[in-house]
């Protein structure tokens, strides 16, 4: 697996990619690991190629909220600035990491990287805004489907390593309600839910049930009919 499996790096011309790639290191990120905390200035930027990293906001009362998931179309780590989130590994997998000092040195000489990074940031802000709207106006099932589809967009497998308890915490619904929704989707033949894992076996079925919130900010469009 090369760094170009990360879609941001895949869009770079050879002249820019070759400035960065020699300094990248392939690392394995383990579920539950914190890469850096809120307020830290990251020493590296990470380009996931299999792992999913959650942007976590830690509250004063000890409660933590997942606001966004970073995967193969994203980078993890702000350039020369304190992080406004805790980078928590949601799903184990691989990532390439680059010393922040190298990115700082080359950034201004990589106009395509700058443009692609800004496009990714704009998409993230659109999806964050829509996530708030979805959470306020839609019931559990549309939010659950949206979360699963977004997760699939960020990994290279149809299997999502997650427990019912973790999902309940992420979406803010009771565990019993989460279990009932997963059973319904299993009965429809769209997923299989096992201990600590959800496997999507009919993505098109989930897409047909999804609310419009999933499609906003996506490069692809909702299928017609």
């Amino acid at each position: 697996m090369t760094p170009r499996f990360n879609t941001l790096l895949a869009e770079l011309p050879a002249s820019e990619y070759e400035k960065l790639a020699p300094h990248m290191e392939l690392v394995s990120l383990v579920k539950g690991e914190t890469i850096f905390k809120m307020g830290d200035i990251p020493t590296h930027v990470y380009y996931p190629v299999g792992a999913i990293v959650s942007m976590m906001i830690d509250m004063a009362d000890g409660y933590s909220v997942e606001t966004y998931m970073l995967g193969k179309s994203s980078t993890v780590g702000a350039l020369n600035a304190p992080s406004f989130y805790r980078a928590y590994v949601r799903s184990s997998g691989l990532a390439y990491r680059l010393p922040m000092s190298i990115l700082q040195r080359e950034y201004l000489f990589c106009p395509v990287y700058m443009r692609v990074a800004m496009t990714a940031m704009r998409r993230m802000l659109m999806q964050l805004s829509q996530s708030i709207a979805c959470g306020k106006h839609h019931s559990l099932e549309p939010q659950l489907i949206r979360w699963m589809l977004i997760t699939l967009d960020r990994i290279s497998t149809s299997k999502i390593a997650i427990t019912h308890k973790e999902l309940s915490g992420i979406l803010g619904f009771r565990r019993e309600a989460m279990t009932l929704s997963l059973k319904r989707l299993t009965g429809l033949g769209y997923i299989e839910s096992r201990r600590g894992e959800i496997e999507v076996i009919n993505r098109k079925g989930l897409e047909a049930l999804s609310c419009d919130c999933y499609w906003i900010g996506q490069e692809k469009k909702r299928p017609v009919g």
Side-chain angles (χ1 to χ4, degrees), residues 151-162:
T151 302
L152 290 179
D153 290 340
R154 286 153 173 72
I155 57 178
S156 56
T157 176
S158 61
K159 297 179 180 179
I160 304 171
I162 193 81

Side-chain angles (χ1 to χ4, degrees), residues 75-87:
T75 63
V76 182
L79 181 62
N80 196 31
S83 177
F84 60 88
Y85 62 91
R86 174 167 59 90

